[in-house]
């Protein structure tokens, strides 16, 4: 039990579908993140949400749309994805403040067909 | 341009010996460094960290060394155990750049295999 739960664990979607990834954290953290892990590439920070700031990586295509209704929940809405978007999507949370580590969920393995 | 680099994609070590995983970074603004461990089908789990004001941090079998002048850090695992077999990610953040959140920049990972 990591304290950060992601659903679904696996998702196969067509390029015309719309789906959402869900993340929930039970650690009392007030910052949440979406990361993408593609094969043989570093984990890539996609979005950051906290009470103080929202940071979007400008290199992330608009077909990925984050939503953070409160400090415990984070969504990633997906629409008209491409096969190259197939990857492991990881949610993380952390306290805000100096020198804190992020805690990750188990990830959603996304395959776009 | 990759700011955090792990140049060894894999490492094989005998059980009981020392494992040394290396990481280089280019951004001099980085002031906090972390190691994460990842098993297949799981998310990364935090292992150990070090602030830029230190050059060594030890936690049980795990020790992280930081050489700021060389922009290099390493993770030592001794003695290595078969259960340590996993992918190890180095990560860094730059708190001095402002913001309250931890925007971690990761390396590509090193797959460690500890042979019984």
């Amino acid at each position: 039990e990591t304290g950060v739960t992601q659903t679904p664990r696996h998702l196969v979607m067509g390029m015309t579908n719309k789906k959402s990834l869900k993340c929930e954290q039970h650690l009392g953290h007030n910052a949440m993140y979406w990361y993408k892990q593609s094969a043989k590439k570093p984990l890539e920070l996609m979005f950051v949400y906290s009470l103080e700031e929202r940071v979007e990586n400008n290199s992330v295509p608009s077909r990925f749309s984050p939503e953070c209704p409160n400090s415990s929940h984070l969504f990633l809405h997906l629409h008209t994805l491409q096969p190259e978007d197939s990857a492991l999507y990881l949610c993380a949370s952390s306290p805000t403040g100096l020198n804190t580590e992020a805690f990750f969920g188990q990830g959603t393995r996304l395959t776009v067909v | 341009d990759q700011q955090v680099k792990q140049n060894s994609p894999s490492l094989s070590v005998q059980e009981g010996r020392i494992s040394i995983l290396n990481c280089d970074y280019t951004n001099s603004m980085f002031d906090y460094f972390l190691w994460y461990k990842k098993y297949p089908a799981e998310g990364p789990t935090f292992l150990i960290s070090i602030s830029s004001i230190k050059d060594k941090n030890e936690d049980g079998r795990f020790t992280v060394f930081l050489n700021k002048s060389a922009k290099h850090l390493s993770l030592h695992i001794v003695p290595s155990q078969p259960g340590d077999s996993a992918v190890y990610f180095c990560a860094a953040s730059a708190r001095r750049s402002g913001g309250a959140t931890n925007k971690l920049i990761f390396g590509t990972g090193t797959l460690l295999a500890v042979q019984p």
Side-chain angles (χ1 to χ4, degrees), chain B residues 3-115:
Chain B
Q3 299 184 66
V4 177
K5 300 177 185 178
Q6 293 178 258
N7 292 319
S8 298
S10 63
L11 174 68
S12 183
V13 171
Q14 284 295 119
E15 180 178 6
R17 298 290 184 99
I18 185 171
S19 296
I20 300 177
L21 298 123
N22 293 303
C23 178
D24 297 293
Y25 62 96
T26 58
N27 189 342
S28 57
M29 295 296 290
F30 287 147
D31 56 3
Y32 187 54
F33 304 89
L34 309 88
W35 284 95
Y36 280 82
K37 174 180 178 180
K38 185 180 184 301
Y39 292 117
E42 295 184 13
T45 55
F46 170 73
L47 196 56
I48 193 169
S49 64
I50 188 167
S51 164
S52 60
I53 61 174
K54 295 185 176 181
D55 55 18
K56 177 183 174 181
N57 187 28
E58 188 173 353
D59 184 3
R61 297 185 298 115
F62 303 92
T63 302
V64 56
F65 294 93
L66 175 62
N67 182 335
K68 289 186 289 294
S69 61
K71 293 191 177 70
H72 177 85
L73 66 155
S74 61
L75 174 67
H76 294 212
I77 306 173
V78 57
S80 301
Q81 300 173 354
D84 296 328
S85 298
V87 177
Y88 288 78
F89 291 97
C90 171
S93 68
R95 285 304 318 278
R96 287 174 296 180
S97 65
T101 52
N102 233 347
K103 302 175 192 63
L104 297 177
I105 308 299
F106 282 84
T108 50
T110 297
L111 175 62
L112 173 66
V114 180
Q115 310 296 334

